[in-house]
Amino acid sequence: MTPRDWWTEKKKSLTGACLAHAVHDGYTDALYVFLPVWQAQFGLSYAMLAIIRGLYSGTMGGLQIPADRALRGLSPRAALILSTLLAAAGLLIMALPLGLPGLCVGLVLAGIGSSIQHPCGSTLVTVSYGAASRHPLGIYNFSGDLGKAALPALAAVLLPVFGWQPVLGLMAAIGLVLSLALVPLAPAVPIARAARTATGTGTGMGGRGRGGFGILTVIGALDTATRMGYLIFLPFLIHGQGGDSATVGLALALLFIGGALGKATCSLLGERLGIVGSVMVTEAATALLIAATLLTSLTPTLFLLPLLGIVLNGTSSVLYGAVPELSNGDTGRAFAVFYTSVIGSGGLAPILYGAIADHGGQTVGVLAAAATAALIVPVVLTLRPYLDAPAGGAAATEPVSDSV
């Protein structure tokens, strides 16, 4: 295989992983557009709505590690296509006139599909680029935000015209198209994974580094709890300020466009301030901006949302890039554990915030999300000693040759 062929294979792998990430993350956040419709149609409280939403995110998060283990023998092509077909099938079931039980079954099946995509796509990018995977992982992470910006906006525009069930059917069709697109892009043979553990006082998941990785996952969980908690209230916040369904879609798109910009912004901030400093700045800004959207009218809120998106979503890029450095070289397992933590938090936290809102009102629920962001500031300080230790995780993963 010539260097040119090798470079082409790496680019194809990155492109396939990014396309899958964009569609699956788009599915995940497009569901927020449907929450007010489901609440009205099925008579759900905030807490029950969060539980219904949690069927998807909880399944997706809880199956990250089992999916990574069970499907290691599959090629990235087979795994990514399987994940997309399952997610699309889940959306199709949701689109059928099966009432609330059908909606719940579809959410679970879609969550199973998306649980496969994250560890597979992350590992594919990491083993393709080896020690130089930080920037490609940033591109992979950024692609998810493109999907978050595009699919919720598309759903919001079509929802008033076609109704929620046909729109879900259209989103399922997008997944079928992606499955075909992955055939020439994703590798057709299983990827060879590094299994070496960082030595000495390195920052792996064993020894001293285990503490660092554990703290990282806790911070990731709190960061995700803040984001998901605020997102479950945002459609109702916009409606309360006089916006309609199309405005909700615009609000979500503005927030996620800001989040996509935040990937680059927070990366630059991280180079200047380091992981600890950048997380402290972004989480403090997140808490303040979330509170500010409670005090503004509709138009100022829409102007604030891109700024909020930068810090609300951008922090995850800083945390995500640290996973290979704090792992033991088995990046597939490390990403699976990290995703289990953050997605599980994303599924459970809105239920807690929803219960708070049911008892104390929507404003109290939103402020609880802001308080979670503020809590991260002292927690991230405990990560500093592990980041000062010699890094071994990233270097422990080398590019594979013919397997990708």
Side-chain angles (χ1 to χ4, degrees):
M1 179 178 290
T2 67
R4 181 180 179 85
D5 291 336
W6 167 241
W7 173 243
T8 300
E9 289 302 311
K10 289 199 295 185
K11 289 194 296 183
K12 286 168 60 178
S13 296
L14 178 60
T15 301
C18 287
L19 285 175
H21 196 199
V23 170
H24 282 264
D25 274 22
Y27 282 170
T28 299
D29 286 358
L31 295 178
Y32 288 104
V33 178
F34 300 94
L35 294 183
V37 179
W38 294 340
Q39 184 185 48
Q41 180 163 345
F42 300 114
L44 303 173
S45 66
Y46 284 119
M48 282 301 300
L49 196 65
I51 291 173
I52 294 297
R53 174 65 177 77
L55 290 174
Y56 175 87
S57 57
T59 303
M60 179 172 59
L63 294 181
Q64 296 282 323
I65 295 175
D68 176 65
R69 290 177 177 173
L71 300 178
R72 287 194 171 200
L74 291 182
S75 68
R77 177 187 297 172
L80 290 176
I81 290 177
L82 174 63
S83 71
T84 306
L85 289 177
L86 286 174
L91 295 182
L92 284 175
I93 292 175
M94 293 163 61
L96 296 175
L98 300 175
L100 186 59
L103 178 66
C104 294
V105 171
L107 286 168
V108 170
L109 183 58
I112 293 173
S114 289
S115 72
I116 301 171
Q117 182 272 141
H118 277 122
C120 178
S122 302
T123 304
L124 174 59
V125 175
T126 302
V127 299
S128 295
Y129 287 84
S133 63
R134 175 178 287 274
H135 178 62
L137 281 172
I139 296 174
Y140 171 78
N141 202 15
F142 172 80
S143 68
D145 284 272
L146 293 180
K148 292 175 182 179
L151 288 189
L154 176 64
V157 169
L158 297 178
L159 192 59
V161 180
F162 298 103
W164 66 274
Q165 290 168 314
V167 173
L168 282 173
L170 175 62
M171 291 173 60
I174 293 174
L176 297 178
V177 173
L178 171 64
S179 299
L180 295 175
L182 289 171
V183 173
L185 292 174
V189 294
I191 52 180
R193 301 179 183 228
R196 294 188 299 277
T197 303
T199 58
T201 59
T203 55
M205 292 171 66
R208 179 181 181 185
R210 178 179 291 276
F213 185 79
I215 294 170
L216 184 73
T217 58
V218 169
I219 295 170
L222 292 174
D223 178 63
T224 302
T226 300
R227 182 164 56 256
M228 297 306 183
Y230 183 71
L231 280 171
I232 200 170
F233 293 119
L234 181 58
F236 303 98
L237 182 65
I238 296 300
H239 279 303
Q241 294 176 347
D244 55 14
S245 295
T247 310
V248 170
L250 174 62
L252 289 169
L254 290 172
L255 187 72
F256 295 134
I257 288 170
L261 178 61
K263 303 301 182 184
T265 304
C266 291
S267 294
L268 294 175
L269 188 66
E271 292 178 1
R272 291 182 174 272
L273 301 181
I275 292 176
V276 172
S278 60
V279 170
M280 290 177 66
V281 169
T282 56
E283 295 297 349
T286 295
L288 292 174
L289 287 171
I290 286 177
T293 61
L294 290 171
L295 305 175
T296 54
S297 59
L298 180 59
T299 300
T301 295
L302 294 177
F303 278 105
L304 283 177
L305 287 176
L307 298 176
L308 175 57
I310 290 174
V311 291
L312 186 67
N313 278 15
T315 308
S316 65
S317 185
V318 178
L319 301 175
Y320 189 85
V323 170
E325 298 176 16
L326 294 176
S327 73
N328 66 352
D330 187 352
T331 53
R333 180 175 180 272
F335 277 117
V337 171
F338 186 77
Y339 274 121
T340 297
S341 174
V342 299
I343 298 175
S345 171
L348 295 175
I351 299 174
L352 174 61
Y353 295 137
I356 292 173
D358 286 335
H359 289 86
Q362 177 181 295
T363 298
V364 176
V366 174
L367 289 176
T372 305
L375 177 63
I376 295 174
V377 175
V379 174
V380 75
L381 289 173
T382 64
L383 188 62
R384 179 168 286 154
Y386 302 99
L387 295 172
D388 290 340
T397 302
E398 300 175 353
V400 295
S401 57
D402 294 334
S403 59
V404 177

